[in-house]
Amino acid sequence: MLTLDFEEFAFELKDGAVKHVGPSNSSATAKLYDVEGVEVREFGDKRVKLAFADEDGNEVEVALFPEAAAEVARGIEALEDDSPVFE
């Protein structure tokens, strides 16, 4: 399940093209639940890409610099040691 939350976005659909016409201070949040597939790979020369997909074909990709990717790995390791989620 993919949820998207757009704040103050305005789009124009004209001749089959979508164009953002709102203010540049807009923000959005994407959440993907019930992930079925996970991929970790290099992205360019300096980043790590995490790719997640659900059974419906929805995908979310996140490109992280090595320091942030290492922080994610440490966070998961800490949960494995301390959280009942991994029991």
Side-chain angles (χ1 to χ4, degrees):
M1 174 178 66
L2 177 68
T3 64
L4 300 173
D5 180 14
F6 297 105
E7 287 189 26
E8 299 181 29
F9 269 75
F11 292 98
E12 174 184 89
L13 179 60
K14 183 176 180 182
D15 299 327
V18 176
K19 178 181 175 185
H20 178 253
V21 294
S24 61
N25 62 348
S26 302
S27 65
T29 300
K31 297 179 182 181
L32 184 65
Y33 299 95
D34 304 320
V35 171
E36 298 278 326
V38 176
E39 184 180 350
V40 178
R41 63 182 183 270
E42 293 177 348
F43 181 67
D45 292 340
K46 298 185 180 191
R47 289 191 250 172
V48 174
K49 182 180 278 187
L50 307 177
F52 307 94
D54 69 6
E55 66 181 15
D56 297 325
N58 298 307
E59 296 181 10
V60 172
E61 295 182 350
V62 179
L64 303 172
F65 286 106
E67 300 81 19
E71 185 64 30
V72 169
R74 283 192 294 274
I76 292 171
E77 288 174 358
L79 283 175
E80 287 176 331
D81 293 339
D82 301 332
S83 174
V85 170
F86 283 95
E87 290 181 357

